[in-house]
């Protein structure tokens, strides 16, 4: 196989050619002529025979699919796509009344960073959060049912990219904006960028009882781009960090113009202090939001200079350090929370930008790490001993190193161009250290070709031996940006919905199925069961719905098969709708009967030997 | 693990309890306490190390997801979801002008049966066809690019369920209807079902040069439900067969009422004769279609009695027989094409139904096969020696048997309730015989739980040993109804689109990028490249588009990175749109600028180290 030259922009090529890139590209290409013996053992490591289960769930962002991808590890089998920001007829998501309203008319999202809820800094297996860069939203999934429970719009921001990362006890998610926009998204000329545009960060809360998210307050940061973020842990639990780029405030050709300054910043803030500021009324009310303007409502927010255009910043499991990697500077920088706090106390500042104090680089930086020929460091994960694993986008590898010494411990090539990586329980106070998965942006010729648009590629790396070893490669739909990996036994799903006698749309007894007309509204209170629909128990044809053209139709459907894995679907042929009722679930679809005629209806989800017979008719009188 | 009772409707339970179901349920439950040694060898059989490729493509229907799922075999890795009937922001499908128009306003489909194009009865790797039961359409994918090229509505039918099966040289696909409806979908009371409703079959052609499908003619069959179909092969190449159910013409509670008659029918027809009939003008023009009414335009169509409620009918690779399996009758029946043709010549009929002659059962049936305790036979595939493999939905197994003798050769349990199965090159005149995959409807507890809605399950079975052996289980999104498996080297993809200098929307040189206003239409002729957009080469900010509120905007985008796997995306934050331009591709998105304000635009498909910088702004003046 030919040595592959990774995709590098013109500018970057120039930058890197000047250093080492073309001079000495090492580590060498992967050993594709694998020995049989090694493949045997790798095959056994990832094989999960029937009757056994995978050890971890991988919750991977689906990028511009808008969805969440659930995988099993180590098999790397794709178990389920869970719809979040995009309608999904496979599960009826975006078709039933509740999910349709939740989507608010949007047809897609760009799901970037998923984050599991935490208790005491550890994944608790209850909820999964996600952000949408495409249409600026945030969502939460309940892991009892793997369904999306709430979606909120995040105003004044444009692409809550960086993360839905949570604080140690899921008090907050801090959602910074990838793009600066004028507050309220108003029109403003780019000539007025520095004055009129802002990079608003939102402090989002989640009420577990109501399963509702809310925006506690926002912070009007400078008009920069904000990238990855992380919350503090243990001694740094009240703090959070996030990287910035384009502190040049360029308004065109960012490839060049946002890469001018030698340093960008990490924003370091104390959320307990910001919380107090809000309690004390130190904010302005703007577009209905409590907005902190750092130049006015001073305190709690600081800038830490960092090597240019950093992508990732990650807090070590012990909470003592944060590590940033500059995609244009081939270095990982270790910063100390303790030093930062001391510098803040001593007002050890090097001036300010936009009213925010800049902590002196020397006062907070603990170590710069520049492994030879390790190019394009992006994101860092950790193992159970606190060792760091950083993805190298350009040199296509994962590098294991010791944050306490800077020593390189191991390197493994991946195929190709990893963005993030994710370690088992990697963002917690106690990573597992068994596996790390490289989320590769380029698959090239790794799999059977499906045309010019290739899959992405995830590679599972075994950390249990002396050397890191890639043991499985899994193609994946576009596009996992980040993922989290949780021990399987932490997730407690339900298999059947409980009866809810308070739900007035529910029908649990066959004889209660009925059709009620109110003016031009038709309410069907129906049942789905193996292997029939019952809409009107008293009718000659209980599985037929007849309405008049123009009627508003509400079909409330209860699945009375309280058995594991017996899901029914409901579609009306030609009426472009499909919903799902899981075992015991009650669901409603609402639509206008705008076409007269004869339309068969049927169960879309194979449910029994007589599933084909689970049909009826929807008749619309002209 | 507890023995699992498969889901059976009340009626069926009764039926089966009367036979053998509860009395002696064999084969016994799967050996979940697998020996290590066996798992080792199975692990090795399915492991495809990096640098090697899978041996087969599996093209699996995505059911009510509306999409096609592409897997690699033997690894059973999901390589790509190819959008067909449902919009897919991951690939921009349904957002760009061309695909949006092709979808015709529909938001989903229920993709049932895929079929590969054939030359001389063998898969030729060029095209893949699919039908939509949800909104009655058919589609074709080009396998050079794995993209959907054409979608047609199939009028007068309601759910072209059975298949997009093709004749030996892809002359026709015959698309029967799952549901009977009045011609033209007009409103008609179910009291008039037998008189007013019809089960229309469509003969669909495909012009490979234009990549367009068309309906050559339709046949107004009786108002029954039509299920699986198959085309003849070799000596029977001019013939086709399809199963029916509900020949009782029941209009409610089909679970019971469509299961009354002891026999339903296989429709057997000679498409060369129907073609001739059309050429001779023996049809009526109805709703713009050439419609053959069998009771009037006699000849070429016959009924073959078959055990009640058959699901599948499959033609043997040698083209001599067709095998039907009755889901309510635990038997596979082997019929002879030779005998059928002889019976037709001799007018050896047992009367007629709806003007269609019924061939005497005894004159065409060659063998009834009733393996002990094999329950719920559905579909049959074949190996290289012509041996048959039939899925048993109720007894959850695949049964290998010899069509020439009826002898049972082997049985293997699968988990659980297989619908179809698919053998390697299984529908061709020359199956490969190496693998068969069970498409199981029920996964139950096979995988990590994702809540009450479980994945489906596909199980790979090794046919190379003395005994069939399940060697891998793969979870899958809802819902593969059928699949075809093709040797990987038959599929010849392209990796980059050729330049097309005749495309007036294309821009291949940076200096040619421009924005042209025509009244309130704004046409952007832009470029996507690593790592920037160029919309207007001469502007101060070439990556900014400024329009007025209410303008109709056309963005024509060319990806000028003619490099493998360098796909760019294009989204406007908050404007709910995303398109993709694959390497060398030109694509257009059309929308109205209905919101004034400032909206960042960005590349959604990670493309280089400076992908994050591949941004710009879409400014809409109030």
């Amino acid at each position: 196989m030919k040595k592959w030259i990774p995709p590098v922009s013109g500018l970057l090529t120039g930058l890197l050619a000047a250093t080492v890139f073309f001079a000495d590209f090492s580590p060498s290409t992967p050993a594709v002529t694998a020995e049989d013996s090694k493949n045997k053992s790798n095959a056994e490591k990832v094989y999960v025979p029937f009757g056994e289960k995978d050890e971890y769930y991988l919750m991977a962002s689906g990028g511009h699919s808008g969805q969440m991808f659930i995988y099993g590890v180590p098999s790397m089998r794709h178990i389920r796509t869970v719809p979040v920001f995009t309608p999904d007829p496979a599960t009826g998501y975006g078709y039933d009344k509740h999910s349709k309203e939740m989507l608010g008319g949007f047809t897609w999202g760009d799901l970037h960073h998923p984050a599991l809820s935490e208790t005491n800094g550890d994944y608790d297996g209850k909820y999964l959060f996600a952000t949408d860069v495409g249409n600026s939203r945030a969502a939460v999934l309940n892991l009892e049912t793997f369904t999306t429970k709430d979606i909120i719009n995040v105003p004044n921001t444009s692409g809550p990219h960086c993360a839905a990362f949570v604080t140690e006890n899921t008090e907050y998610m801090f959602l910074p904006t990838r793009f600066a926009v004028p507050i309220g998204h108003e029109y403003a000329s780019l000539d007025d960028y520095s004055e009129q545009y802002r990079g608003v960060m939102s402090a989002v809360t989640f009420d577990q009882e109501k399963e509702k998210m809310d925006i506690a307050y926002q912070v009007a940061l400078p008009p920069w781009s904000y990238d990855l973020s992380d919350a503090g842990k243990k001694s740094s639990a009240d703090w959070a960090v996030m990287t910035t780029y384009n502190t040049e405030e360029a308004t065109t050709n960012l490839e060049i113009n946002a890469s001018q300054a030698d340093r960008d910043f990490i924003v370091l803030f104390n959320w307990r202090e910001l919380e107090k500021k809000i309690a004390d009324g130190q904010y302005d009310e703007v577009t209905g939001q409590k907005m902190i303007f750092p130049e006015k409502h001073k305190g709690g927010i600081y800038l830490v200079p960092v090597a240019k255009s950093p992508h990732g910043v990650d807090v070590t499991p012990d909470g003592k350090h944060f590590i940033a990697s500059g995609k244009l500077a081939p270095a990982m920088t270790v910063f100390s929370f303790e030093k930062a706090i001391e510098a803040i106390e001593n007002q050890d500042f090097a001036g300010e930008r936009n009213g925010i104090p800049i902590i002196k680089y020397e006062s907070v930086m603990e170590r710069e790490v520049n492994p030879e020929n390790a190019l394009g460091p992006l994101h860092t994960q950790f193992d159970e001993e606190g060792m760091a694993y950083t993805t190298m986008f350009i040199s296509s590898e994962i590098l294991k190193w010791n944050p306490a010494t800077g020593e390189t411990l191991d390197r493994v090539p991946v195929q190709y161009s990893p963005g993030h990586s994710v370690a088992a329980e990697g963002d917690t106070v106690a990573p597992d250290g068994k596996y790390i998965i490289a989320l590769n942006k380029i698959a090239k010729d790794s799999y059977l070709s499906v045309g010019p648009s290739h899959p992405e590629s995830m590679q599972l790396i075994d950390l249990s031996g002396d050397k890191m070893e890639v043991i499985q490669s899994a193609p994946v739909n576009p596009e996992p940006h980040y993922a989290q990996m949780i021990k399987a036994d932490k997730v407690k799903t339900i298999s059947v919905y409980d009866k809810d006698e308070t739900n007035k749309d529910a029908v649990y007894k066959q004889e209660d199925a009925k059709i009620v007309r109110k003016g031009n509204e038709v309410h069907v209170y129906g049942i789905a069961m193996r292997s029939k629909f019952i809409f009107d128990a008293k009718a000659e044809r209980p599985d037929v719905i007849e309405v008049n053209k123009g009627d508003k139709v509400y079909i409330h459907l209860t699945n009375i098969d309280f058995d594991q894995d017996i899901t029914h679907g409901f579609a009306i042929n030609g009426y472009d709708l499909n919903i799902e009722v899981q075992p015991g679930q009650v669901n409603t679809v609402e639509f206008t009967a705008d076409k007269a005629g004869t339309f068969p209806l049927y169960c879309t989800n194979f449910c029994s030997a007589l599933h084909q017979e689970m049909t009826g008719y929807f008749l619309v009188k002209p």
Side-chain angles (χ1 to χ4, degrees), chain A residues 27-45:
Chain A
S28 63
T29 37
V32 290
T33 53
E35 317 158 32
D36 276 0
S37 64
K38 191 192 213 179
N39 287 336
K40 264 189 200 177
S41 83
N42 290 347
E44 286 158 28
K45 283 177 184 169

Side-chain angles (χ1 to χ4, degrees), chain A residues 73-272:
Chain A
V73 178
S75 76
M76 298 301 286
R77 290 176 297 185
H78 175 236
I79 301 175
R80 174 53 65 102
T81 297
V82 178
V84 183
F85 294 118
T86 301
D88 173 37
T91 56
Y93 185 80
Y95 293 82
D96 66 79
K97 192 166 183 292
H98 171 72
S99 60
K100 190 175 180 178
E101 284 169 5
M102 202 161 55
L103 286 174
F106 287 108
T107 65
W108 80 292
D110 190 359
L111 197 160
H112 266 250
H113 291 157
L116 288 154
S117 58
E118 294 183 11
T119 300
N120 297 327
D122 214 355
Y123 303 148
D124 57 25
K126 290 184 183 171
Y127 292 96
L128 182 59
F129 302 96
T131 55
D132 167 21
V133 176
N135 288 312
S136 301
R137 294 172 294 172
V140 59
L141 282 68
N142 177 320
L143 295 182
E144 281 188 339
T145 56
F146 279 75
T147 55
T148 302
K149 285 292 175 181
D150 193 26
I151 296 179
I152 56 164
N153 291 313
V154 185
N156 300 320
T157 71
S158 200
H161 171 247
C162 342
F165 75 94
V166 299
T167 53
E168 264 196 352
N169 287 291
T170 319
E171 294 94 343
Y172 290 98
M173 286 163 282
F174 295 104
L175 308 185
T177 188
R178 179 165 159 203
F179 306 103
V181 286
I183 285 174
H185 275 270
E186 299 297 318
Y187 170 86
S189 167
L190 286 161
D191 292 340
D192 303 325
Y193 184 85
S194 293
E195 297 73 37
Q196 296 283 320
Y197 286 54
R198 285 281 186 159
V200 169
M201 180 190 80
S202 306
V204 173
T205 54
F206 176 60
D207 181 330
Q208 291 204 13
E209 202 161 317
K210 294 180 182 158
E211 298 194 321
K212 288 281 173 198
M213 305 167 84
D214 200 6
I215 296 174
Y217 59 89
Q218 297 191 315
V219 183
L221 292 167
W224 306 336
S225 285
Y226 298 84
D227 205 339
L228 196 80
S229 330
D230 203 359
K233 295 181 175 80
K234 297 183 175 177
S235 57
S236 62
D238 297 350
W239 294 83
V241 283
M242 59 193 188
T243 53
T244 68
Y245 61 102
N246 193 22
T247 56
E248 294 88 349
E249 301 180 13
T251 57
T252 187
N253 203 355
L254 266 59
E255 176 189 28
I256 290 168
N257 297 327
S259 308
Q260 299 299 307
D262 278 343
R263 296 213 181 279
D264 288 297
F265 298 109
I266 289 168
V267 180
L268 170 74
F269 61 97
N270 185 307
W271 57 267
R272 292 274 184 209

